[in-house]
Amino acid sequence: MSGKATEGLAKAREERSLRKRRAVEEAIATLKERNEAITFKDIAAIAGVSRQYLYNNFKESISAERDNARSSSSEIDGVAVPSRTPEEYRHIEAVLRNKVDRLKQELSSVRKENARLKQELEKERGRSEHFRRNWINSSK
């Protein structure tokens, strides 16, 4: 190959490398803006590069960003909540959904018991009223 051809290939390779680096940096910035956990998988998906590329070229910087993000927290309804990975969020969501379902079942049974007790109370009030009237009538 001639010198011009190799220069052109080198320039194209350098430009492609620069585009990938910018895409990775933008992906990290995007995850930070969204206040999402920084993972190799998410960065690779957003930047359109392979995870191997990230491990080969950005391992230390991404690991440092990930550690910083995990040690950080955000405030939700006045409560400091640590940053989590999407998998952790899915797990927490599943746990909370199960808890909500259990609480709905418990609420349903408590409402049924409440209705039963109200009926029983009305019956006892009726009996009490019956005895009160009998007592009043007998004392006349």
Side-chain angles (χ1 to χ4, degrees):
M1 282 195 183
S2 69
K4 280 189 172 183
T6 56
E7 285 178 23
L9 289 174
K11 186 176 179 181
R13 185 174 53 244
E14 187 178 315
E15 288 175 4
R16 187 178 74 224
S17 178
L18 185 59
R19 279 194 307 269
K20 283 183 177 182
R21 286 188 171 279
R22 286 186 182 147
V24 169
E25 292 168 358
E26 288 173 8
I28 292 170
T30 300
L31 290 172
K32 282 182 179 180
E33 286 174 16
R34 295 181 191 165
N35 203 21
E36 292 181 15
I38 296 173
T39 64
F40 283 92
K41 181 180 176 182
D42 291 340
I43 293 170
I46 293 170
V49 298
S50 69
R51 282 193 248 173
Q52 189 61 49
Y53 173 79
L54 294 176
Y55 286 117
N56 290 342
N57 298 291
F58 294 94
K59 184 176 182 181
E60 292 81 23
S61 62
I62 291 175
S63 295
E65 289 287 348
R66 187 174 54 184
D67 292 341
N68 288 340
R70 285 192 177 177
S71 65
S72 70
S73 61
S74 57
E75 193 167 313
I76 299 173
D77 293 335
V79 177
V81 179
S83 296
R84 301 193 187 316
T85 64
E87 290 80 20
E88 290 172 322
Y89 279 124
R90 282 193 288 277
H91 175 72
I92 291 169
E93 182 181 352
V95 168
L96 290 175
R97 285 184 189 278
N98 288 338
K99 187 168 189 170
V100 166
D101 290 342
R102 283 194 317 271
L103 290 172
K104 283 180 180 177
Q105 290 173 350
E106 184 179 329
L107 179 61
S108 175
S109 65
V110 167
R111 284 181 173 163
K112 287 177 185 175
E113 177 69 7
N114 190 22
R116 186 189 65 76
L117 289 172
K118 282 181 179 179
Q119 277 185 327
E120 195 174 307
L121 176 64
E122 286 303 313
K123 285 180 185 176
E124 290 302 318
R125 281 185 181 156
R127 286 185 193 144
S128 170
E129 183 62 24
H130 172 73
F131 288 127
R132 186 181 74 75
R133 285 187 183 175
N134 284 345
W135 184 76
I136 290 173
N137 289 340
S138 67
S139 63
K140 287 185 182 179

